[in-house]
Amino acid sequence: MLQDLCLTIVVENSSSLENDHLQAQHGLSILLDLDMNLGSENMKLLWDTGATPEVMLHNLDALHIDPEEIDLICLSHGHYDHTGGLMGVLQRRRAPVPIVAHPDIFAPKLKVRPFLKYIGAPFTRDQLEAAGGIMLPCRGPVTLAPGVMTTGEVPRMEALETVEGFWTMKNDQYTPDAMPDDQSLAIHLPGKGLVVISGCAHSGIINTIRYAQRITGEERLYAVIGGFHLMGADNKRIDATARALLDLDPAVVRPGHCTGQKALSRLQDILGESCQPLAVGDSIEF
Ligand SMILES: [Fe+2]
Ligand SMILES: [Fe+2]
């Protein structure tokens, strides 16, 4: 059973004074150290890999994290700012490592604003596997350890949590991308409740939390950490998100990455002290 959980923010958009030896970039990577009560052996799970091998490896080195220690890599979705550092991590390792992700992370990912641009993973599945990644494509939830799950595809229930501006290719047709590959981590922390860790939460952070509650059977939300993708969202959606979080009443809310400054300020207004922004190098212990 999971005893303790420690998160280290390896890549994030914001830097902080106490961690000015680390590099910030538009991207996200979080190392989870999970004490499963197995004596000295903790599980080390890497959630996303930032945008570039250079920043990812610089920060891993500066944080004294050996890529070889990582037991498992999970990818939240196929965008470059979550997958871009992966090849760097693999090339630093000798041993192969399992990678849990939705099969659509390899689909062409594009954005149309301010102009048409490729924003997908900078590698093919073949390149990933040749570099030592053991690809485990999964559309649904996967149990990684007792009480630790990926959500897989998140059902879209909230009317305001729409996905816009992303395009892909399906059946040889250029088409809007609903980002079915977007997933989060759902962790049941005994005695405390549910910890939800998102990548970009393109499925909507409230949709994600509600689905995490459903698949874990744990109603109490203890913490929510990661990108809430509210950059560019209107006030109506931002306020609805903040009020839904207020109802869910988590002890810890740590928005970062693609949450956006406007949404972050509003979340802090409504949620108060429990809501603090993320920065690279932050360590969060539960
Ligand atoms: Fe994204
Ligand atoms: Fe992102």
Side-chain angles (χ1 to χ4, degrees):
M1 198 168 75
L2 180 60
Q3 293 273 104
D4 292 303
L5 171 62
C6 179
L7 272 56
T8 304
I9 310 302
V10 181
V11 178
E12 217 280 322
N13 297 44
S14 308
S15 52
S16 63
L17 274 180
E18 67 264 40
N19 286 306
D20 61 359
H21 61 304
L22 300 174
Q23 294 175 0
Q25 73 175 169
H26 177 77
L28 187 70
S29 175
I30 303 176
L31 184 80
L32 286 80
D33 189 316
L34 301 116
D35 181 350
M36 311 295 300
N37 204 14
L38 299 170
S40 61
E41 194 191 4
N42 283 10
M43 176 185 180
K44 301 246 169 87
L45 190 169
L46 186 67
W47 175 243
D48 287 341
T49 64
T52 61
E54 293 75 20
V55 171
M56 186 70 201
L57 293 175
H58 172 92
N59 289 356
L60 283 175
D61 288 344
L63 290 161
H64 308 289
I65 299 166
D66 179 359
E68 205 77 54
E69 289 169 21
I70 297 163
D71 297 297
L72 175 64
I73 298 174
C74 293
L75 299 174
S76 64
H77 63 300
H79 285 158
Y80 78 97
D81 50 327
H82 300 255
T83 56
L86 179 54
M87 288 298 269
V89 175
L90 295 180
Q91 282 156 2
R92 272 281 195 90
R93 292 173 55 94
R94 290 171 298 280
V97 62
I99 300 169
V100 174
H102 192 284
D104 283 9
I105 65 155
F106 298 107
K109 299 275 178 193
L110 302 122
K111 67 172 182 177
V112 291
R113 285 190 293 262
F115 50 83
L116 185 63
K117 190 177 178 189
Y118 181 75
I119 55 164
F123 47 74
T124 63
R125 181 171 171 173
D126 285 349
Q127 288 170 326
L128 201 69
E129 289 175 329
I134 315 275
M135 196 57 215
L136 305 173
C138 310
R139 290 179 191 274
V142 179
T143 299
L144 308 171
V148 183
M149 299 174 84
T150 58
T151 61
E153 291 184 15
V154 175
R156 315 294 168 92
M157 313 298 282
E158 301 288 321
L160 292 175
E161 293 196 318
T162 53
V163 181
E164 276 150 39
F166 298 121
W167 288 69
T168 188
M169 200 134 77
K170 216 187 242 167
N171 305 324
D172 217 22
Q173 284 289 313
Y174 177 58
T175 181
D177 187 1
M179 300 290 309
D181 48 319
D182 175 74
Q183 62 172 348
S184 292
L185 289 175
I187 300 173
H188 178 234
L189 207 56
K192 287 187 169 157
L194 184 61
V195 176
V196 174
I197 300 173
S198 61
C200 273
H202 289 299
S203 309
I205 195 67
I206 303 304
N207 281 330
T208 299
I209 293 166
R210 300 216 192 282
Y211 189 57
Q213 289 173 315
R214 206 165 101 196
I215 60 173
T216 58
E218 174 59 68
E219 281 294 311
R220 279 175 309 164
L221 179 66
Y222 182 70
V224 53
I225 298 153
F228 293 7
H229 204 75
L230 294 169
M231 253 177 201
D234 60 18
N235 291 345
K236 202 171 155 195
R237 177 171 172 182
I238 292 171
D239 275 25
T241 304
R243 289 189 197 292
L245 281 171
L246 192 65
D247 282 348
L248 287 157
D249 196 26
V252 178
V253 181
R254 300 294 302 271
H257 180 47
C258 53
T259 303
Q261 195 51 52
K262 184 174 79 168
L264 175 64
S265 305
R266 193 69 187 130
L267 288 166
Q268 287 188 295
D269 281 350
I270 293 181
L271 300 171
E273 281 288 286
S274 66
C275 180
Q276 299 292 334
L278 278 185
V280 64
D282 284 355
S283 172
I284 306 168
E285 278 180 57
F286 295 111

